[in-house]
Structures are given as C-alpha cells and as structure tokens.
Amino acid sequence: MSRTLTSVYHSPMSTRSDYATNHLARTLRSGSVGRGQALCLDDRKRGLRLSYADIFAMAERYASAIAQAGVKPDDRVMVQAEKSVEVMAVYLGTVLAGAAFVPLNTAYTARELEHFISDAKPALFICDPAARGTFAPIATANGATVLTCDATGSGTLAEAGANAADSFEAIPRAADDLACILYTSGTTGRSKGAMLTHANLASNAETLRDYWRFTSDDVLIHALPIFHAHGLFVAINVSLTAGGAMLFEQKFDADRALALMPDATAMMGVPTFYTRLLHHDGLTFEATAGIRVFISGSAPLPAETHRDWTARTGHNILERYGMTETAMNTSNPYDGERRPGTVGFPLPGIEIRVTEPETGAPLPNGRIGGIEIRGPNVFKGYWQMPEKTAEEFRADGFFITGDLGVISEDGYVTIVGRSKDLIISGGYNIYPKEIESLIDAIDGVVESAVFGVPHPDFGEGVVAAVVRQPDAAPDAATIIAAIAPDLAKFKQPKAVLFLDELPRNTMGKVQKNTLRTDNADVLQG
Ligand code: MLC
Ligand code: AMP
C-alpha cells in the first residue's frame, strides 16, 4: 500500500529544529526521520490526511503557542477536550516545550475538575469552548491561562497556533525529566497524579514497537480515547515511534471499525471493543484478513472471548497488561502461544515478581500473590505525594501494583484479582470510595457500599447497595439524580439496591465479596 501523500496540509519537515536533545520527542520522531511526507494520521470523518511533516509542523506551532502562553519547562499543560489531531499535536507540542502534558477524561464534571486543577496547578488549561463558562473560572483562579479546542479543532488554541512561529527549537529534556502526569483514582477517593518521565514513555514505546513488530507499513485503527495510557502511550507512541499511520476515530463504533479493517493492519482496544465486534454479523475471516495483529488490554479479556474471536476470524488476540503508573508490563508473544486468560510474559527489560502481599517475600511460580514491577517503564512517583509514593514501592525499587496474580511454570502471567478496591468498567477505573462518599451524603442514606458485578458489555458494571433511614427513604432515581452533577457518567451506578444492613465480617468490615456474589446477575440481560 502506497502511503505517500499529496495533501493541502503539506508542510516541510522542519529542518531548523533538532530533537536530539529532547529524549521523548527524539523517540517519537525516530520512525519518521527521512519520511516526512508519509501518512501519519487519517481522520476520515473530518477528511484530514496528515503526513509526519504536517503533524510535527503542527506540534511545533503549538509548542510556540504554549511557550507564548507563558508555559515554562516543567510547567503543566492540562487538557480536557474531545479527541482530535489538535489535542495530539498539543501533546507533542508540550513535550517539545519541555512541559508536562496532563490529559483528563472528557466525562469529568466541574467537581472532579476542581481537584485536578488545584492539584496540578497547570500554567495552561485547554477545554472545549462549550465548557469554558464552567471550567475557566476554576482554571484562572488557580493561575492558568485558558484556551479552547472543540472536536473539529476550532477554538482559541487554533488561533494561537495560527499566530505562533511555525518552527520551535525543542527544549532539551533528560531521561528522568517529567513528560506527563496522568491521574489515576485513589482508594481513598482522591485521585493521584502519576508522574511519567521521558524515559518511561520512550523506553515503553520502543519495547512495544519491537515486541509487536510495528513498522512504517502499519496502519492502526485508533478508536481509543487519548486521555489514558492505552490510547496515548501505547497506541499513539508506538505508531509514531514505528513511523506507521493511524486511522483516527473519535470513539469506538463497531460498524466503523469493520469498515476501516480493509485499510488497516492492526487494532488496539479494550475487551469491550472485541465483545461488541463479536455481536456484529460483519465480523468474519474475510473482514479481518488484512489485519496483522489485534491487541487487547486495560481490563481482563475473558478466555471465552479470546476463543470466540479465533473461531470467527482465525486471529488470536494478543493480550497485554499495563497500568497508568507503569505503562505496559507484560505481553503475550507475537510468535508463539497467545494463551487465553493470561497476559503473557514480562516485556524485555522489565522484571516481574509475585510476592506475599503483607511481607513482600517473593513467592515461587504457581503461587498467587501481589504483582510487583521494576524497570525503565515504572513511574517516578505520585505528584506531590511523597509518602503515598514511598508506600507503593519496596526498598529494592519494585512497584506494588495492587494486582494479584500467578506465574506459571513456563512463565505466563495470569491476573487473578486485585487487592485494591477497584472496578474496571469498559477499561475505565472506578474507585468505589468516591461514589460511596457522595451517596452517604444524601439525606436519608445511612451508608452505602459500591461494588462491581459482571456486565455483558463493559465486563464489570457499577452497583450501589444502600441502607436508608426508614422515615426518609430516597429511591434509586433520587440517589442517581443527587450524585449525577458531581460524577462522570461512567462512574454512576447502573443499579441501586436497598438493603436493611450491609454484610460485615466480625471485624466490622463490609464484605464486598458477598455483595458481588449475591448480586452477580443484577446487570445481566
Ligand atoms: C460509557 N459509559 C460507560 C462506559 N463508557 N459506563 C461504564 N463504563 C464505561 N467504560 C456509559 C455512557 O455514558 C452511556 O450512558 C452508557 O454507558 C452507554 O454508552 P455507550 O455509548 O454504549 O458507550 P461508548 O461511548 O460506546 O463507550 C464505551 C467504550 C468506552 C468501551 C467504547 O468506554 C471506551 O472507549 N473505553 C476505553 C477506556 C480506556 O481507554 N481505558 C484505558 C485506560 S489505561 P447513558 O446512560 O448515557 O447511555 C489502562 C492501562 C492499560 O487501563 O493497561 O491500558
Ligand atoms: P489504570 O489504572 O487505568 O491504568 O488501570 C490499570 C489496571 O488495569 C491494572 O492495575 C489492572 O488491574 C488492569 N489491567 C490492565 N490490563 C489488564 C489485563 N490485560 N488483564 C487484567 N487486568 C488488566
């Protein structure tokens, strides 16, 4: 397939800028050196076909605009805007400008935003023009300049970019300098910012490119959000580092994914992508014939889905395991057995051990324990939380993931559960504590327990068990209405159950396992 472009967007690859001293930018540009006019990103809904030269020219213009907005090296650039090539260029521009990129889920409400902004104190905040009225006062009160960008790229960001210099001298950044902060919810309900360095992201991109054999011939269906590790660090970084092309979709849609497959060689997704495609009549051997690799992660891929996929398409999905704090840790092999229900082997250069959770003592293969990780991918710590950071690391540098797993005699890692109270729904992490606190504050509620149960589409779905005062009993609709303004939609319970009391053990601890087992079919059908 020829992917040389003739596009109105053509810009010469900047010759003035030398990325050699900016650790991550150097890696992200490495795949395209000498191939400036090759296709980098194709957004068919917007009719955009952008070459590497176009994308890096845009990134340099945004880097200039970011610097002009007063952003200095090590400052934060926070973005809560719909997925677009402009947001991707802001990510690259932020890296070039030596600042830290802080993307946020577009579903977050003003209450959730308030915490992120006051915690990260960004110098620049970019949001949708429609949200400006709500978010700008919070951002400016915290010292940020505000720019806007909608799903089509319109807004004051584009204006600033148009007026900015079209080349930018990359700010030198060393391996250990901060590149991104990604917020990940905390068990106490307070989100923590995971600090990822240039070397964390660059090393993971190169490792995954090589392990999964990505090259400049690849065309990736990119239908993931770009505010999380999967869509940003795995999909974008690997594709750029390989010099491949991305078919950029606003969000996942099974019809569109199937329509794109004849032009693609790879797809990355959360398990929901695969279960939704399996429900589509169009999923056949023929429809998927041109795809080289289907990759799944962010949540467990049921072994049954893996097998059904093979039966319907002839492809074995390649499942991998990662997290915000570490990017990717393990992967099933490219060649060799992709074993259903497992997440494969530690990636090259990354060490994994399974330990006794209380003591950290390493356990032999075959024994279930806590998964711990050490390697160049492991983050620098939680933003302004040195004690929390110290708690999550062993003295010898291993990071305690909070996942429970086992390593087989032949080295395959299987994740069997989590020691953290966490729900993963459609690939999004949801911490029950945050939802419980909001429900408990509602008039007439005595207490609540939030837990995950099997969901046919999202893998797990959120359920709330609520104990009410007898005289002023709010119904389920009242409870959802009360929390909705403060809680992103994906975190809101899909069912509310009323109990006379919560099940507790002899220590008084709420038995979430009992709740999960007793209500396992609440969201089925
Ligand atoms: C949407 N909804 C969700 C949801 N997504 N509810 C629970 N969990 C989710 N993940 C809500 C919607 O608001 C809507 O509410 C209803 O559920 C149905 O929406 P939909 O239109 O069917 O959903 P859709 O918009 O298609 O989104 C589903 C999805 C999306 C799976 C495509 O959630 C998604 O792209 N997930 C990927 C998340 C991701 O990238 N995770 C990576 C994290 S990084 P209503 O009531 O209005 O209908 C990481 C590290 C690693 O974990 O290892 O990768
Ligand atoms: P996040 O904090 O959003 O980065 O989510 C990371 C968590 O997702 C991990 O700690 C795991 O619990 C889970 N996860 C990621 N990939 C997989 C996978 N392939 N199988 C099971 N769980 C996974």
Side-chain angles (χ1 to χ4, degrees):
M1 182 183 331
S2 163
R3 289 197 287 101
T4 302
L5 285 185
T6 354
S7 136
V8 288
Y9 275 86
H10 268 176
S11 345
M13 188 78 107
S14 170
T15 47
R16 274 169 289 173
S17 297
D18 175 5
Y19 296 180
T21 58
N22 184 299
H23 193 95
L24 179 57
R26 183 177 65 225
T27 300
L28 295 180
R29 212 211 12 227
S30 60
S32 66
V33 169
R35 318 175 50 255
Q37 303 310 325
L39 179 65
C40 177
L41 187 145
D42 183 350
D43 181 335
R44 295 195 174 172
K45 274 225 164 122
R46 284 176 64 186
L48 292 177
R49 280 169 65 76
L50 301 177
S51 67
Y52 272 90
D54 299 331
I55 294 288
F56 279 98
M58 199 187 239
E60 290 191 32
R61 267 200 308 279
Y62 283 160
S64 306
I66 287 167
Q68 253 168 36
V71 176
K72 295 184 290 305
D74 289 327
D75 280 350
R76 275 76 54 211
V77 173
M78 183 176 274
V79 179
Q80 193 202 31
E82 292 300 331
K83 178 176 178 180
S84 66
V85 59
E86 286 78 10
V87 171
M88 183 175 109
V90 169
Y91 159 55
L92 298 172
T94 303
V95 170
L96 289 171
F101 183 66
V102 192
L104 296 177
N105 193 322
T106 46
Y108 289 144
T109 63
R111 181 194 69 90
E112 290 158 310
L113 251 290
E114 185 128 34
H115 166 64
F116 299 124
I117 294 176
S118 61
D119 190 55
K121 291 262 182 313
L124 176 62
F125 177 74
I126 298 168
C127 66
D128 195 278
R132 197 180 193 290
T134 314
F135 296 145
I138 308 172
T140 46
N142 282 280
T145 299
V146 178
L147 292 175
T148 58
C149 181
D150 72 10
T152 65
S154 297
T156 54
L157 170 74
E159 291 161 26
N163 294 327
D166 64 359
S167 82
F168 184 86
E169 200 63 49
I171 301 291
R173 291 277 94 181
D176 198 39
D177 284 331
L178 190 57
C180 284
I181 298 177
L182 250 55
Y183 276 91
T184 167
S185 304
T187 37
T188 57
R190 214 179 110 82
S191 285
K192 302 165 290 183
M195 298 189 288
L196 282 309
T197 67
H198 277 242
N200 292 153
L201 303 182
S203 71
N204 216 236
E206 286 173 335
T207 299
L208 295 174
R209 175 198 60 195
D210 297 345
Y211 205 75
W212 296 337
R213 315 260 175 93
F214 271 81
T215 71
S216 55
D217 290 334
D218 275 306
V219 182
L220 174 72
I221 297 176
H222 191 309
L224 288 156
I226 58 173
F227 44 70
H228 277 315
H230 198 162
L232 190 61
F233 302 155
V234 189
I236 289 181
N237 286 2
V238 168
S239 192
L240 292 186
T241 304
M246 287 177 275
L247 303 176
F248 221 53
E249 291 287 292
Q250 183 77 37
K251 59 173 285 211
F252 177 75
D253 175 274
D255 285 329
R256 287 191 58 82
L258 280 163
L260 294 174
M261 275 187 207
D263 295 337
T265 65
M267 188 177 87
M268 293 179 187
V270 295
T272 300
F273 286 20
Y274 294 98
T275 49
R276 286 187 182 180
L277 281 164
L278 277 166
H279 284 114
H280 198 296
D281 290 341
L283 185 78
T284 59
F285 270 62
E286 296 72 35
T288 56
I291 300 289
R292 178 178 73 75
V293 64
F294 287 102
I295 300 173
S296 176
S298 306
L301 181 78
E304 188 192 358
T305 306
H306 189 291
R307 294 195 185 100
D308 289 351
W309 190 268
T310 307
R312 283 279 290 283
T313 69
H315 291 274
N316 290 318
I317 297 173
L318 191 161
E319 185 173 7
R320 66 23 171 214
Y321 156 60
M323 60 192 302
T324 301
E325 290 90 335
T326 62
M328 299 305 107
N329 300 315
T330 73
S331 173
N332 269 282
Y334 190 81
D335 292 323
E337 186 194 359
R338 298 179 190 167
R339 194 173 292 173
T342 80
V343 292
F345 304 111
L347 287 162
I350 296 173
E351 295 170 85
I352 297 212
R353 68 185 183 196
V354 170
T355 66
E356 181 67 55
E358 306 302 310
T359 61
L363 293 171
N365 287 355
R367 292 272 305 277
I368 292 174
I371 297 180
E372 300 186 2
I373 313 280
R374 187 166 68 180
N377 57 321
V378 176
F379 74 139
K380 198 173 176 161
Y382 294 110
W383 172 253
Q384 291 182 334
M385 287 184 159
E387 294 87 15
K388 186 76 199 154
T389 302
E391 277 171 29
E392 310 280 329
F393 280 90
R394 301 282 180 203
D396 57 4
F398 273 86
F399 173 64
I400 305 164
T401 63
D403 290 312
L404 299 175
V406 58
I407 303 177
S408 67
E409 286 308 329
D410 57 356
Y412 282 82
V413 178
T414 300
I415 298 175
V416 300
R418 303 166 204 135
S419 59
K420 49 198 175 192
D421 190 14
L422 164 71
I423 301 163
I424 302 184
S425 180
Y428 287 139
N429 283 10
I430 299 163
Y431 278 87
K433 180 79 188 150
E434 181 185 11
I435 306 165
E436 289 161 1
S437 306
L438 289 170
I439 296 178
D440 292 352
I442 298 171
D443 276 350
V445 169
V446 177
E447 62 174 346
S448 64
V450 168
F451 53 98
V453 298
H455 186 285
D457 187 29
F458 295 127
E460 271 187 295
V462 178
V463 173
V466 177
V467 179
R468 297 176 290 186
Q469 285 162 3
D471 46 342
D475 61 12
T478 310
I479 289 174
I480 296 296
I483 61 175
D486 288 332
L487 204 61
K489 185 84 197 222
F490 70 89
K491 298 182 196 168
Q492 294 172 23
K494 301 220 185 279
V496 179
L497 316 170
F498 295 104
L499 301 180
D500 292 336
E501 58 183 5
L502 297 177
R504 290 194 139 83
N505 66 11
T506 48
M507 310 289 286
K509 190 172 184 304
V510 175
Q511 297 294 81
K512 292 210 173 170
N513 274 341
T514 307
L515 287 168
R516 277 191 283 268
T517 313
D518 290 353
N519 300 291
D521 55 2
V522 166
L523 298 181
Q524 296 298 326

